[in-house]
Amino acid sequence: WERLRKLNMMSLQRRRERYCIIQVWKIVNGHAPNDVEMQFKNHPRLGIKALIPQINTKAQLSIRSDYDSSFGVRAAQLWNILPSDVSRLSSLESFKIGLGKFL
């Protein structure tokens, strides 16, 4: 952690999370295709929120763990954590700057 701090870098996990959030922003704003069929709702106070798809609660444990680690679920959870002022930014560069301050 000390070396990452000295180099002003984020951990690999944090970089992966940042990539997922940026990809969701591109889907929301029409810069990338919505292949995973993510659905969004615009809440007046909370901003744009992703709807997390449901899973059968009686599914096997291995299927539930695959579901929890899938892009559609993990990216939606990360997106929903963002504050509304960050998720509503309209340009990619300003979004990346706002995301960097948030992370």
Side-chain angles (χ1 to χ4, degrees), residues 4-26:
L4 289 173
R5 213 172 291 128
K6 284 181 182 178
L7 296 171
N8 196 23
M9 290 181 65
M10 293 184 269
S11 67
L12 184 58
Q13 178 183 356
R14 185 67 68 190
R15 285 182 274 168
R16 286 180 181 144
E17 291 172 348
R18 183 177 184 272
Y19 170 78
C20 286
I21 295 171
I22 291 172
Q23 190 64 27
V24 172
W25 181 91
K26 289 179 180 180

Side-chain angles (χ1 to χ4, degrees), residues 39-99:
Q39 298 177 353
F40 302 93
K41 65 178 179 178
N42 194 357
H43 192 277
R45 187 173 56 89
L46 302 175
I48 302 168
K49 296 297 176 185
L51 300 175
I52 299 173
Q54 298 297 317
I55 187 173
N56 184 357
T57 57
K58 296 178 182 176
Q60 293 177 348
L61 181 61
S62 62
I63 293 178
R64 283 187 296 200
S65 65
D66 288 344
Y67 165 81
D68 288 336
S69 62
S70 68
F71 178 81
V73 173
R74 191 70 192 129
Q77 291 171 340
L78 292 169
W79 177 263
N80 290 340
I81 293 172
L82 290 178
S84 63
D85 58 332
V86 175
S87 65
R88 289 184 177 160
L89 292 172
S90 59
S91 75
L92 181 58
E93 290 305 315
S94 62
F95 177 76
K96 286 181 179 180
I97 292 168
L99 180 60

